[in-house]
Amino acid sequence: MTSKIRVDKHLHNNMLAFRTLSLSFFILLLPFKEMRNEAKIPSIEAIYQFGDSISDTGNLMHEVGPVGCARPPYGQTFFHHPTGRCSDGLLMIDNFAWALKLPFLSPYLDKFGNFSHGVNFAVAGATALDISYLKFRNITIYGTPSSLLVQLGWFKSHLASICRNPSVCKQKMGNALFIVGGIGGNDYISGIFEGKTIQDLRSLVPHVVQAISKVIRQEVIYLGARRIVVPGSFSAGCMPFCLAAFKSNDPAMYDELGCLKFWNDFSSFHNFQLQQAIKSLQQHYPGVKIVYGDYFSAHRSLLQNFGSLGFDKNGLYEPCCIMCGSDGVTACPNPSARVNWDGIHLTQHAYQFIANQLLKQIMML
């Protein structure tokens, strides 16, 4: 596909717009309760999360105020109010923390946050590449400037505040879980808005992967990390955003699940490059456990088995909340029957399933 990619105004705006609590929590996390009982929980004392809106638990909200995911109806299912999470409720990182018997992670920019069990540095809209490099590639970032390198700087500042002795710091980090990603999607989406072709975006992938790998190799491992999860990309061709923006009358453009082949091929290309980088890291650091978080396969598995998982067939590719976060917008009546929340991010129910798949890897660290 060589023509320049264009996104209609409705989707562009959607992109920018980014019972009781105890009972709902218990019902939601029954699968994780079983995992807690059946699997040996690794001795992880803290979690450090880097990434974008897939993992942000409130940093963008504290950075720019009540916009996008910090407005209703975001957060309506679990918290019953917006928390800055880009979903109707819990994210995968929330499920990881609970399964590891840790409290939910506070966002780094929350001055009242509890950081005794880790920190969430992820920011909605964050890029893997620094915004100055993306500008050099003629890609303008209109969202947060808090790229992966900025988040790394936050981590270093946090580390300096909790331990001054390097050996003590390394010991603390050795007992922690690091999740670096998913990140990179905003680098590519920003390219789409600038009219980049698929070929242009493919040329950006090695740089995105190198940025992730470099942070892990030169910084995170050096500072003491011994257990690292590096998530890949979701199946982009199955996202309502892509399906609507690149709708085609040609059946050959779609796979057996109704997803756009060329976008899934792009996701697979990114994931392959990332897995190769992880293999290189594993070879260079045999004493560090580094695993790939396969979001792509888990996402596809969810779509293939939607019925047994409680999802409505008619809701597989239809967002629960359109123009979410805009004034007067309401969500669909039953978010748990939908896979996608707002066209780009998944529902709490979908994130729960994918988190469950990744926990099988995390529990082995």
Side-chain angles (χ1 to χ4, degrees):
M1 184 174 182
T2 57
S3 61
K4 287 194 172 183
I5 298 169
R6 300 187 184 279
V7 180
D8 65 33
K9 184 177 179 180
H10 173 78
L11 288 164
H12 195 180
N13 289 340
N14 187 35
M15 177 61 192
L16 295 177
F18 310 78
R19 7 175 123 81
T20 63
L21 186 64
S22 60
L23 178 60
S24 61
F25 188 61
F26 176 76
I27 293 173
L28 171 71
L29 296 175
L30 278 176
F32 300 101
K33 182 176 184 293
E34 293 177 3
M35 183 170 287
R36 272 179 156 185
N37 294 335
E38 296 174 4
K40 183 179 183 298
I41 299 176
S43 56
I44 292 172
E45 298 177 359
I47 304 175
Y48 295 100
Q49 169 78 63
F50 301 82
D52 56 24
S53 58
I54 296 170
S55 309
D56 185 2
T57 55
N59 278 313
L60 185 65
M61 179 177 71
H62 289 285
E63 187 175 78
V64 301
V67 298
C69 300
R71 297 186 50 153
Y74 284 98
Q76 70 172 36
T77 299
F78 185 80
F79 300 97
H80 308 301
H81 62 85
T83 63
R85 290 167 171 82
C86 293
S87 185
D88 60 311
L90 299 179
L91 307 179
M92 288 183 288
I93 182 58
D94 297 313
N95 290 315
F96 297 155
W98 192 88
L100 295 170
K101 297 187 176 181
L102 295 172
F104 293 157
L105 296 187
S106 295
Y108 176 75
L109 296 180
D110 181 359
K111 61 182 180 180
F112 300 110
N114 175 10
F115 304 128
S116 62
H117 52 275
V119 187
N120 192 332
F121 301 104
V123 186
T127 56
L129 293 165
D130 189 70
I131 58 174
S132 61
Y133 178 78
L134 288 168
K135 185 177 181 180
F136 171 75
R137 298 286 298 246
N138 295 316
I139 297 175
T140 302
I141 302 299
Y142 296 100
T144 179
S146 302
S147 66
L148 185 57
L149 278 180
V150 173
Q151 295 175 33
L152 178 65
W154 292 348
F155 170 62
K156 289 181 176 179
S157 295
H158 168 73
L159 203 57
S161 72
I162 63 171
C163 55
R164 299 185 182 278
N165 187 312
S167 62
V168 174
C169 283
K170 287 194 173 185
Q171 183 178 1
K172 283 180 175 289
M173 297 305 101
N175 294 326
L177 171 67
F178 286 77
I179 306 176
V180 185
I183 195 166
N186 292 306
D187 302 67
Y188 306 136
I189 290 174
S190 298
I192 293 172
F193 289 147
E194 295 292 335
K196 301 297 183 182
T197 65
I198 284 292
Q199 286 78 10
D200 292 332
L201 297 184
R202 285 176 72 93
S203 71
L204 195 64
V205 171
H207 300 281
V208 168
V209 170
Q210 184 182 36
I212 297 169
S213 177
K214 185 176 180 181
V215 163
I216 296 171
R217 182 179 66 254
Q218 296 185 1
E219 303 288 355
V220 174
I221 293 177
Y222 174 77
L223 291 169
R226 290 297 176 265
R227 287 176 283 195
I228 307 170
V229 177
V230 190
S233 170
F234 284 99
S235 183
C238 301
M239 291 293 189
F241 169 78
C242 288
L243 288 168
F246 308 103
K247 186 177 181 180
S248 173
N249 293 324
D250 182 2
M253 295 288 288
Y254 299 88
D255 64 16
E256 71 281 3
L257 291 177
C259 304
L260 284 165
K261 291 180 181 177
F262 77 93
W263 268 117
N264 280 348
D265 289 344
F266 179 79
S267 295
S268 295
F269 179 68
H270 168 91
N271 290 340
F272 175 77
Q273 297 283 332
L274 185 62
Q275 288 176 81
Q276 292 302 110
I278 291 171
K279 287 179 181 178
S280 176
L281 289 169
Q282 291 168 336
Q283 292 171 356
H284 281 86
Y285 303 98
V288 180
K289 295 179 180 179
I290 310 172
V291 299
Y292 169 68
D294 194 352
Y295 286 177
F296 187 96
S297 295
H299 187 194
R300 299 277 294 180
S301 177
L302 185 159
L303 296 172
Q304 290 166 342
N305 300 284
F306 67 90
S308 62
L309 297 171
F311 293 96
D312 183 356
K313 182 178 182 179
N314 296 325
L316 291 183
Y317 305 117
E318 183 179 347
C320 179
C321 185
I322 298 173
M323 296 297 293
C324 216
S326 299
D327 289 342
V329 169
T330 58
C332 65
N334 186 15
S336 66
R338 302 286 181 95
V339 172
N340 197 278
W341 169 248
D342 60 5
I344 298 170
H345 308 100
L346 304 188
T347 60
Q348 172 178 271
H349 187 192
Y351 278 141
Q352 177 195 1
F353 172 80
I354 295 175
N356 197 8
Q357 302 304 300
L358 267 67
L359 276 166
K360 296 172 184 176
Q361 296 173 290
I362 293 175
M363 291 298 183
M364 296 173 63
L365 288 172

